Amino acid sequence: MVKKFSFLILVLLVLLAGCSSETTSKTTKKTASDEQTGGVLKIALNAQPPTLDTHLTTQTVALEVTRNIYETLVTQNAKQQPVPMLAESIDKSDDGLIYTFHLRKGVKFHNGKEMKAEDVTASMNRWLKLSSRAKLLLSGANFESKDDYTVELKLQSVASDVLDIMAGRGQFPAIMPKEIIESAGKDGVTEYIGTGPFEYVEWKQDQYIRLKRFDDYAAVDEEPSGIAGRKTAYVDEVYYYIVSDPSTRMAGVQTGQYDIATYMPYDNYEQLKSDKNLKTYVSFDGGTLNVSYNKKHGLFTNQKIRDAVNTALDLNAIMLASFGHKDLFKLSPGYMSTEQVDWATGAGKESYNLADPNTAKTKLKEAGYKGEEITLYSTRDYDYMYNSAVVMKEELEQIGMKVKLEIFDWPTLIERRENPENWDIMVVGTGYVTTPSQLLVVNPDYVGWTNDQKITDLLAKIRTSASQEEAKGLWEELQTYMWDDYLPFTLFGHYSTIMTTSNKLEGFTPFQGAIPWNVKKKQ
């Protein structure tokens, strides 16, 4: 009898163990300690972050560092789609006004505290107040705690792109402890504590930012994809060195001083590519290069003149002059990333890259152009912006336009461009966003001052669409209208960034910058 009872207990324990592993399959604690390789990963950045408070900054270098420290309710997978991260699951009410986030349990902050709803609510409501895109697109929204592991987002109006906005890169909604949020001043949080695979150690201004493995990290038990999925910290520490000079970054990765160097010079692409001791990655996460037309003041308030310029431009020549190699840019009329499966489209291609100066001359005459001088703004702080402006000036002069090219350092240009009386056209680079409603080209407050009722109406319809398929169709209609009829910008093309690593790294996969988790370093 005792033997039979003991056997039954043993069977019961096995079954319970099986059930436990099934119900906690989403979270795997301390994955880093299971398979560590150790070592220090050294990454050369091109600039110093202005802050490590993600609610306050859109700077790429800051976001590249902080995504190791902080995590979010939802994040982007490799297809740039929003998927749960700190949320276990998400429900939406029938009327579309309430999103319920069920939180993962057992997730710890770097200070040892378990993440709970009060932390999420404090973090998300601060983000709603500080994020420019949240203020614009989620006005009146609010997060509330329902219990320790449940949070509700209540909206003022239906918006189908809520999760896309939350998964966006700039000013991403990092989850921090409630007490850290409550103690933050106008300059940001004073402690950098999150739930990520690496925790903050120190920041020596103008030198480096040092992170170390978080041994109590609770990883998601899913395949890595973009920022989503399993994150294993194989290395002991990560140093982000501030190296503003590109030749120094290049020399450092060649000599082994750095394991990874970001934003490598376009001019050195072939040299880096041919170095057998290095691996060079071309990532199309830079954004789009464009010319913005001043639609508030001057000649380019006339759509026919915008159309004449668009007809004249040889965009392949402009992009080749800007980036130096065909591998480093893509010609596409799409304002969204060509790799974003939900929104990428070639709509409007019939009006893209026409490179037809003869027809442009005819259109210019019909538009009433009488030889007035136009002012083209650009900067030498970014070589590709300057080079594109030089080629554009030449192409416009070939159709009979009188062009004055004015060059400023970047801070001065930012200041001067706000006055619409200062300029007519200007080269601008715009980063990728997660939904069309966040694009600068359709923002009436962004330089160029797009103001068109049809654009406004179609954006509203996109945001309230019943399905992604319906929204995509409306976006294709809007993008076609922007190219064929309104022309707020002429988009030249999509540009890449170059990243180079030592060949001693295993498991490295770039996504919107260097990702240090899941990377092993051969000793």
Side-chain angles (χ1 to χ4, degrees), residues 403-422:
V403 183
K404 180 182 179 182
L405 177 57
E406 293 192 3
I407 303 298
F408 302 96
D409 62 73
W410 185 245
T412 302
L413 188 148
I414 293 292
E415 180 182 352
R416 289 186 59 84
R417 74 184 189 180
E418 294 303 317
N419 184 347
E421 296 183 5
N422 285 342

Side-chain angles (χ1 to χ4, degrees), residues 80 284 334-341 343-345 432-433 494:
Q80 300 180 32
F284 278 90
Y335 282 100
M336 301 295 288
S337 166
T338 58
E339 298 177 355
Q340 190 168 21
V341 296
W343 297 108
T345 175
Y432 291 132
V433 291
H494 300 250

Side-chain angles (χ1 to χ4, degrees), residues 234-302:
Y234 288 114
V235 296
D236 298 321
E237 294 184 315
V238 179
Y239 277 77
Y240 284 95
Y241 290 95
I242 315 303
V243 189
S244 59
D245 180 55
S247 60
T248 303
R249 292 198 301 278
M250 181 170 168
V253 75
Q254 287 175 320
T255 60
Q257 181 180 2
Y258 308 122
D259 301 301
I260 301 171
T262 62
Y263 297 95
M264 302 302 285
Y266 294 112
D267 291 344
N268 298 111
Y269 171 64
E270 289 282 11
Q271 179 184 353
L272 292 167
K273 188 178 176 182
S274 63
D275 192 326
K276 295 181 180 179
N277 295 316
L278 303 173
K279 292 183 179 179
T280 294
Y281 301 83
V282 174
S283 300
F284 278 90
D285 53 17
T288 62
L289 188 62
N290 324 263
V291 61
S292 176
Y293 299 112
N294 183 344
K295 300 176 290 300
K296 183 179 283 190
H297 176 84
L299 283 174
F300 288 89
T301 58
N302 183 344

